[in-house]
Amino acid sequence: MPMVDPEIESAPWESQAQSDAPLYLQQIEYLFERSRFYRGKLERAGFATHGAVGGLEAIAALPLTEKDELRASRSAEEPIGAQLTAKREEIARIYSTSGTTGTPSFIPLTPGDLEVWVRTSARSYAASGIVRGERLVSTYNAGPFVAGAALGAFDRLGLCHIPVGSGNTERLMTAIELLKPTVAVLTPSYALHLAEWARERGKDLASSSVKRVLVAGEPGGGEPAMRAKLEAGWGASVTEAMGIGDISVSLWGECEQKQGMHFSGRGFVHVELVDPETGAARPIVDGAEGELVLTHLVNRSAPLLRFRTRDHVRLNVGRCACGRTSPRVRCIGRTDDMLIVRGVNVFPSAVREVVNEFQPAVGGVIVIRPRAKGVRQEPPLPVGVEVAPGADVEGLEERIRGRLREKLLVTTEIELLPAGSLPRSEYKSKLVEKA
């Protein structure tokens, strides 16, 4: 699939800030005019007028926006929150987030905002290499959720969309068998579950019509071992996409080079990288790690300024062989899922990635079972690991424990579990059980 906006997606990244700067100034003026939330927030931080805020080069001096702040501004009279800037008659659609990290948020969109979301998502999915006329089967029950905007991107790209949804694996497999789509869109957890489901029933999923599997909704699709397992099970190329409901759906999308997900929101969203503990700015350079912070540049319904995504990422910068020039990210995990074990930050998805180095002996599914409530844990951290059917497990616990200690600096207690004993999810997997 050619780029959706080649003149934008292939433009030098070094000039992006210059392009964003006038849009940012207009957005700040709009916030002071229409956003009670940001007018008060910026005034309390010492910025009494939009002119006092300065240009884009000074954005790091502004306060960060926390999701809990937005939640706290909601009320029965203002269910969307005090950040709402559009009038009732200006709003074309209201989505909600999935609520996987708390109470769902309502996301309003003007017609222009909705167009931006669809265009961004189209850029993201086009990067995977899908081409006009292909048949795509999707498993998201996305109607009320922000992922619903991604469905519009499939139409924009000229695909034949087969929406099956989750909850009925038999129906999905029948659709694949009879309608012969070449693309499947689902979470990595569900993709893994379907590969296991097919194998257990003697079905050769790898010989199906599906040649591309596009995964999103949670970290995992970019983990080398997980990707390899999915590609073997499906006999297809696996790429991933990532969005953040409060900002835009499918804001990052991976191309066929598989070197991370390209930023797809150029001209619509400004990207920063910060230290997840201090909030201090970090440079966007090759190999940098930190938390993504995003700012709307053209949103007119409920713009967010320096919004903390809680996505902890590693950057890959420079021109890609696909021609796109925007930074690429690999999501290491979410800072709100992180555990601290005697001073060491531990991301559950990072634990899974290390464990999956022991394939084919392990099945790819893990669970962390903290002994105490809260983020801080004492070692050893209990980790349950599913083993593959018939695997040789002699010494496996010790080898996994040693590798986790070597790579993540965390002491663990490994429990090997029978294949299929941990719950599977048709949406987002839960890697940590509540204590």
Side-chain angles (χ1 to χ4, degrees), residues 366-389:
I366 72 158
V367 64
I368 297 174
R369 293 170 169 153
R371 292 190 173 91
K373 292 182 179 180
V375 173
R376 298 189 180 277
Q377 302 291 319
E378 286 297 316
L381 184 67
V383 179
V385 177
E386 272 196 21
V387 296

Side-chain angles (χ1 to χ4, degrees), residues 165-236:
S166 62
N168 194 327
T169 296
E170 293 271 5
R171 183 179 179 184
L172 172 63
M173 289 305 192
T174 298
I176 291 176
E177 182 179 350
L178 297 180
L179 300 178
K180 303 195 182 309
T182 54
V183 185
V185 180
L186 63 175
T187 65
S189 298
Y190 194 30
L192 180 61
H193 169 65
L194 290 172
E196 294 174 342
W197 184 94
R199 185 179 63 248
E200 290 167 359
R201 288 159 180 78
K203 295 180 179 292
D204 187 7
L205 184 59
S207 66
S208 77
S209 59
V210 175
K211 300 306 175 190
R212 298 182 190 276
V213 176
L214 314 184
V215 296
E218 61 182 356
E223 297 171 11
M226 174 69 85
R227 193 198 300 265
K229 192 174 185 69
L230 292 178
E231 291 189 334
W234 282 80

Side-chain angles (χ1 to χ4, degrees), residues 8 11-26 54-59 263 265-272 284 297 325-327:
I8 296 172
W13 176 253
E14 295 75 17
S15 65
Q16 192 60 46
Q18 183 178 354
S19 300
D20 289 349
L23 297 173
Y24 171 74
L25 291 176
Q26 293 170 18
L56 186 59
E57 73 284 352
I59 191 172
F263 176 57
R266 298 177 70 165
F268 305 142
V269 175
H270 180 70
V271 181
E272 295 177 81
I284 295 182
L297 294 173
T325 54
S326 60

